[in-house]
Amino acid sequence: MNNNKYVLILKFVVGWPLSILALFFIFKIIISNSPNLFSYLKAPNIPLVAGGILCFLFYYALRAFSWNTLLKESGHNISLKESSYLWGFAELKRFIPGNIWSFLTKTISFEDKGIDKKSIAKLLFIEIGMFVLSCIIFSLLSLNFVLESILPSSLGFIHQLSIPAVILLTMFYTFNRSFIPKSHSKILNLFRFFLPDLKPIITLNLLLINLLFLFFYGLGYFLVISSVVTLPLHHSLSLLGFFVFSLLTGYLSFVTPMGLGVREGMVTLGLSKYLATGMAGFASIFVRMCLISTELIFISLIYLWKHTKNQTLSKAENYVSKNLHVILLSTFISIYILYFATISFLRYDNFFTGRFDLGNMEQAVWNTINGRIFLFTNPDGIAPISRLAFHADFILILLAPFYFVWEHAKSLLLIQTVVLAFGAIYVYLISKQLIKDKTLSLVLSASYLINPSVQLVNLYDFHPVVLATTLLLGAYYYLINKKYFLFSVFLLLASLAKEQMWVVTAIFGVYIFVIHKKKLAGSLLSVISLAIFYIIVSQIIPSFHGKEHFALSYYSEFGSSPFEIIRNIIFSPNLVLTAIFSQSSLDYLLKIFLPFGFLPFFNPFSLVFTIPDFAINLLSNNIQLRQIYYQYTAVITPFLFISTIYAIRLIAKKSKLFSFRFFTWYIFFFTLLAAYHTGPLPFAKFPNVSVFTKQLSYRDEINKTLKKIPQSASVAATNNIGSHLARRELLFTIPIGLYEADYVAFLVNDIYAQPTLDAQKQMAISFKANSDYMLIHEKEDFLLFKKISQ
């Protein structure tokens, strides 16, 4: 009886009294460090702070979810709401000196839910072991950051061992029972006690969830610290790993409570490489205050979630539970649109875009709404010419009405971003229909949004063919659902994006003929599409251009006319194989297929749709076509996703060794690997962050000056200004039109300029001596000249 009484007292003590005590220590930490904070704190970047706090919320939410998953996989069915509530309030106790209160609270709280003490102890050890190992694995990302300070340059290669170490540690933990068999050794058996006695796929699932919440932890640290000091973006991934390493050092320091100390000291030491020690110390304290505040927000939210009882909340919970995957997909798409619209606009604002190709596209759209349908200034001359002299991208005409809403180049950039992002919806729908697994379908959709080819074509100006990525996915989805009207609409729109799309349309006709058994419809679609393609390439474009299609020169090894090129491609396999197996082609194919883990090769049938574009890219003597940085992958990407979905379905059906959960993590791993090696995100190996780090300080002055140029005036400009001057009839790119234009504008800061940057600088200097023009504005690298009236 007395024992029960003591147990009841202990249960009461670990409840609200200890929670209040924990809050006391939290506020003591905040108050004691307030003077240090306010002495440095000026005006933090609020969006970055908000982004960091959101990441911290994801960190706590995923930790709670990981604990709930561990409970369920161990046979203890407790709702996520209940387990998150108990886990959150137990974690709060770690701020109390003594380091046992959190574990004691978890033991007592979950014992009340029917879990015996031994099982709770086992789960706690697994949670600790998995957390520590996950931190070690994630910390390996900081090897380069740490070792460059303490190792001689000759040993710098050691950081390259981080990826193999990550894989080995993950494999060891996942298959621990195989590596450490049962033994009479007490030490080995004790070691086994700390390892999860779960199926390998479940262990891997839990481990990857841990790595995911550590990513959000590191990202939260990076964003919050970046809100008050400047951190190097090119070291962002290493810094994420380092912040997790500091978390691990603090976690393993049981000699101190979870206040400020070891973790902040480690962060201060690391940031001292970039900042003064005092500022580094302030940053470490500031971010920890934000982390603690976020934990209080998280606990408040789960408290309200558990104790608020009303019909609206219940309906919201039911809606979220039933539509969780759709909500997450919508969130991913929204984040994608927000980021890539922002970075696209920043590229425009800082003159990273050019007349080629954003300016050309905008001029055609602007001319169309002003009655000069499909015209733009001839890039090789000084007179207006139809776009049909170069490409049959008629979809530009259909985009013209959007210019009545927002007459700006950014409207094209926004349309491109939104349409491309919506491709993730069709990836999800196609996957859900064919493999019927929502989680895997969601991951495939996320992998679409993270795919380097998708992101890179989104970044480099505007190209109508990029819209075909989503349109082709939509067309395929409606085709397999036998919604032929919507299929026709989407396929027609895709065909209007570029002339070679008609060949892809012809392949759809064969597909309808063979798979859907609609022989007449399939035959007509193929024949008409091929006829349109032939007429456009061999008749229409040459007639407007005055000679053969300009791109025929890319295939001079195969002939000089379309018919001769096609004939030699078919009957000269040695030339074809030589082109395909060249180093540039193999590198290109590796970058294309890596995000899919090479799964499309297991279902080559769907790759038939990619043959026209692969042939165009691989057989060309223009190496730019074998880069994923431009628009040349836009038509290939949708069919790689379709082929991957079919490959997963085929493999899972043939072999029970490969479950959908396995493919979920398989796709996730290869997508992140490709995103790191070839993607443009800030945490990639070669991030596209120049728009953040190299913003033009006098860009507003340039824009104001350019706006003063009359819209009726002709302008010759360097390429990087061209996209800002496209809303006019005549726009030339220097050196073309240099002495015919009413105005001449130079911005000589583009290292990739054609003619070369030095040549452009010489032109600008020599133009000052031109008596026909006067310099009306000069600001550093920007010069604007006006023609003197005769």
Side-chain angles (χ1 to χ4, degrees):
M1 187 73 177
N2 287 334
N3 288 338
N4 290 336
K5 182 178 179 181
Y6 291 136
V7 169
L8 289 173
I9 293 172
L10 184 59
K11 286 182 178 181
F12 171 78
V13 169
V14 299
W16 284 110
L18 279 188
S19 296
I20 294 171
L21 185 60
L23 290 172
F24 166 76
F25 281 104
I26 289 173
F27 287 112
K28 182 180 178 182
I29 292 168
I30 295 172
I31 293 170
S32 63
N33 286 277
S34 294
N36 294 330
L37 284 176
F38 289 118
S39 63
Y40 281 98
L41 189 60
K42 305 297 181 185
N45 185 307
I46 300 302
L48 288 179
V49 174
I53 289 174
L54 185 61
C55 286
F56 289 148
L57 280 173
F58 284 138
Y59 164 71
Y60 287 116
L62 284 170
R63 283 198 67 183
F65 175 73
S66 176
W67 173 252
N68 180 257
T69 303
L70 181 58
L71 288 172
K72 288 188 175 180
E73 297 293 0
S74 303
H76 308 292
N77 192 20
I78 299 177
S79 69
L80 178 62
K81 181 196 293 189
E82 187 70 29
S83 67
S84 298
Y85 174 78
L86 296 176
W87 179 88
F89 274 88
E91 282 292 303
L92 189 67
K93 311 298 195 305
R94 73 189 189 283
F95 287 96
I96 302 172
N99 293 300
I100 63 166
W101 301 109
S102 175
F103 303 115
L104 182 61
T105 304
K106 281 183 185 176
T107 302
I108 293 175
S109 298
F110 286 97
E111 188 181 12
D112 283 346
K113 300 301 175 182
I115 308 176
D116 60 271
K117 291 186 179 68
K118 185 177 179 181
S119 296
I120 296 172
K122 179 68 175 177
L123 292 173
L124 287 172
F125 279 121
I126 292 173
E127 183 190 35
I128 293 169
M130 192 166 286
F131 183 84
V132 170
L133 183 69
S134 301
C135 286
I136 292 172
I137 291 173
F138 204 96
S139 297
L140 290 172
L141 296 174
S142 66
L143 269 182
N144 198 31
F145 174 78
V146 174
L147 295 181
E148 66 181 10
S149 303
I150 59 177
L151 287 180
S153 57
S154 60
L155 297 177
F157 70 92
I158 290 179
H159 76 272
Q160 297 178 11
L161 300 175
S162 60
I163 298 299
V166 166
I167 295 172
L168 286 174
L169 281 171
T170 303
M171 292 293 291
F172 172 78
Y173 198 72
T174 302
F175 298 99
N176 60 81
R177 301 285 158 173
S178 301
F179 295 131
I180 308 176
K182 289 185 178 180
S183 170
H184 293 293
S185 169
K186 292 182 178 179
I187 295 177
L188 281 178
N189 286 333
L190 180 63
F191 187 69
R192 281 169 57 86
F193 182 77
F194 286 87
L195 297 172
D197 187 15
L198 301 168
K199 293 179 180 179
I201 191 64
I202 295 173
T203 303
L204 179 64
N205 190 48
L206 287 165
L207 187 61
L208 292 174
I209 293 172
N210 275 248
L211 291 173
L212 184 60
F213 68 61
L214 289 174
F215 168 79
F216 281 113
Y217 174 89
L219 181 58
Y221 253 67
F222 187 90
L223 291 175
V224 171
I225 292 176
S226 296
S227 72
V228 289
V229 297
T230 301
L231 293 178
L233 273 173
H234 60 285
H235 282 164
S236 55
L237 194 61
S238 294
L239 283 169
L240 258 65
F242 178 73
F243 293 140
V244 171
F245 177 70
S246 68
L247 170 66
L248 177 63
T249 57
Y251 188 82
L252 295 177
S253 301
F254 289 108
V255 293
T256 61
M258 296 297 288
L260 298 180
V262 176
R263 191 188 321 187
E264 285 62 48
M266 185 62 66
V267 171
T268 301
L269 181 64
L271 293 182
S272 296
K273 294 176 64 173
Y274 308 110
L275 310 170
T277 303
M279 183 59 72
F282 152 72
S284 67
I285 295 173
F286 177 68
V287 69
R288 188 63 191 282
M289 294 297 101
C290 290
L291 181 65
I292 292 172
S293 301
T294 305
E295 186 169 4
L296 294 177
I297 293 171
F298 172 74
I299 290 171
S300 300
L301 289 174
I302 60 172
Y303 178 83
L304 292 173
W305 183 28
K306 184 177 185 300
H307 290 90
T308 303
K309 306 291 183 184
N310 65 60
Q311 195 172 2
T312 303
L313 183 62
S314 298
K315 288 181 178 179
E317 285 184 28
N318 290 332
Y319 179 83
V320 170
S321 63
K322 291 178 181 178
N323 300 278
L324 179 61
H325 294 83
V326 174
I327 292 171
L328 289 173
L329 176 60
S330 302
T331 303
F332 296 158
I333 290 173
S334 299
I335 293 171
Y336 177 95
I337 292 173
L338 178 63
Y339 179 80
F340 281 94
T342 299
I343 198 170
S344 295
F345 288 0
L346 283 174
R347 290 187 79 252
Y348 178 86
D349 290 337
N350 289 281
F351 300 95
F352 284 88
T353 59
R355 183 203 170 172
F356 296 97
D357 288 316
L358 178 59
N360 285 339
M361 307 304 172
E362 186 189 14
Q363 193 181 34
V365 172
W366 182 82
N367 270 324
T368 297
I369 66 170
N370 284 282
R372 298 175 291 275
I373 298 174
F374 217 42
L375 294 182
F376 77 132
T377 306
N378 188 350
D380 302 320
I382 59 173
I385 194 172
S386 172
R387 279 288 300 169
L388 274 171
F390 295 89
H391 289 298
D393 38 18
F394 297 107
I395 201 169
L396 286 172
I397 299 173
L398 301 181
L399 295 178
F402 290 98
Y403 257 51
F404 290 111
V405 179
W406 187 18
E407 189 178 302
H408 201 286
K410 288 181 179 178
S411 64
L412 294 179
L413 297 174
L414 181 61
I415 289 169
Q416 178 172 259
T417 299
V418 172
V419 172
L420 199 56
F422 281 2
I425 297 173
Y426 288 108
V427 171
Y428 178 81
L429 293 173
I430 294 169
S431 175
K432 188 163 70 77
Q433 178 163 334
L434 295 177
I435 61 179
K436 295 176 173 55
D437 185 282
K438 290 183 178 181
T439 301
L440 178 52
S441 299
L442 179 64
V443 169
L444 282 164
S445 301
S447 74
Y448 169 88
L449 296 170
I450 302 172
N451 187 285
S453 294
V454 172
Q455 295 182 344
L456 288 167
V457 300
N458 199 157
L459 282 180
Y460 285 91
D461 288 15
F462 172 85
H463 299 91
V465 72
V466 173
L467 306 181
T469 300
T470 296
L471 294 170
L472 288 169
L473 284 166
Y476 193 86
Y477 172 72
Y478 294 123
L479 178 60
I480 62 177
N481 281 278
K482 299 181 180 179
K483 296 181 179 179
Y484 295 113
F485 174 74
L486 288 172
F487 159 72
S488 301
V489 171
F490 272 67
L491 190 61
L492 176 61
L493 289 174
S495 301
L496 297 177
K498 205 172 183 181
E499 58 272 10
Q500 80 261 25
M501 284 302 308
W502 290 103
V503 182
V504 179
T505 303
I507 298 174
F508 268 103
V510 177
Y511 182 92
I512 292 172
F513 183 98
V514 175
I515 304 299
H516 288 248
K517 307 299 181 183
K518 294 185 176 295
K519 297 183 179 181
L520 179 60
S523 300
L524 286 174
L525 182 59
S526 293
V527 171
I528 293 173
S529 297
L530 289 175
I532 292 173
F533 172 74
Y534 176 79
I535 293 170
I536 289 175
V537 173
S538 66
Q539 303 297 322
I540 296 178
I541 289 179
S543 68
F544 278 94
H545 194 61
K547 54 184 177 179
E548 295 288 353
H549 193 300
F550 75 95
L552 291 180
S553 61
Y554 298 165
Y555 309 93
S556 55
E557 292 88 346
F558 296 94
S560 57
S561 68
F563 179 77
E564 188 179 358
I565 290 170
I566 293 171
R567 184 190 63 192
N568 287 331
I569 287 174
I570 296 172
F571 295 106
S572 303
N574 57 320
L575 292 176
V576 173
L577 292 174
T578 299
I580 292 175
F581 288 98
S582 67
Q583 188 61 51
S584 63
S585 294
L586 292 175
D587 289 343
Y588 167 72
L589 291 171
L590 176 63
K591 291 175 182 177
I592 286 283
F593 285 98
L594 181 62
F596 306 92
F598 307 99
L599 285 174
F601 291 118
F602 290 91
N603 183 63
F605 175 76
S606 299
L607 295 180
V608 171
F609 293 94
T610 66
I611 289 176
D613 277 77
F614 268 132
I616 289 170
N617 298 345
L618 293 173
L619 302 181
S620 170
N621 57 30
N622 183 351
I623 197 170
Q624 282 193 344
L625 271 64
R626 290 187 292 281
Q627 302 292 332
I628 66 170
Y629 306 109
Y630 307 109
Q631 71 274 18
Y632 305 112
T633 61
V635 181
I636 295 171
T637 298
F639 298 109
L640 292 178
F641 276 95
I642 292 168
S643 186
T644 298
I645 292 167
Y646 276 109
I648 291 172
R649 188 175 76 162
L650 177 65
I651 297 171
K653 186 177 180 180
K654 295 289 184 181
S655 175
K656 293 183 179 179
L657 293 175
F658 301 102
S659 64
F660 287 147
R661 182 179 284 188
F662 166 81
F663 283 114
T664 297
W665 290 115
Y666 183 87
I667 291 294
F668 185 73
F669 170 77
F670 276 101
T671 300
L672 290 183
L673 184 65
Y676 171 69
H677 278 286
T678 59
L681 294 175
F683 305 108
K685 191 174 183 179
F686 303 106
N688 191 311
V689 293
S690 298
V691 291
F692 300 117
T693 59
K694 297 179 181 179
Q695 295 193 13
L696 201 61
S697 59
Y698 52 98
R699 65 186 188 185
D700 292 337
E701 184 175 340
I702 295 176
N703 277 315
K704 288 178 182 177
T705 304
L706 294 179
K707 287 179 180 178
K708 294 177 181 178
I709 300 175
Q711 208 166 47
S712 59
S714 60
V715 181
T718 51
N719 181 58
N720 51 357
I721 303 182
S723 61
H724 291 249
L725 294 164
R727 291 187 291 280
R728 65 189 64 251
E729 285 190 62
L730 296 174
L731 172 65
F732 319 128
T733 300
I734 290 172
I736 294 173
L738 193 58
Y739 302 102
E740 289 83 11
D742 298 322
Y743 288 80
V744 177
F746 291 91
L747 179 58
V748 285
N749 66 351
D750 182 6
I751 61 174
Y752 303 107
Q754 294 294 329
T756 64
L757 183 59
D758 288 338
Q760 288 190 359
K761 287 182 177 180
Q762 283 301 121
M763 287 183 201
I765 293 171
S766 63
F767 216 73
K768 289 183 178 180
N770 191 322
S771 58
D772 292 333
Y773 288 84
M774 65 175 179
L775 180 66
I776 60 174
H777 193 95
E778 182 175 8
K779 175 69 175 181
E780 297 187 35
D781 292 328
F782 173 70
L783 300 92
L784 179 64
F785 298 88
K786 181 181 180 181
K787 197 169 192 176
I788 300 172
S789 300
Q790 298 297 325

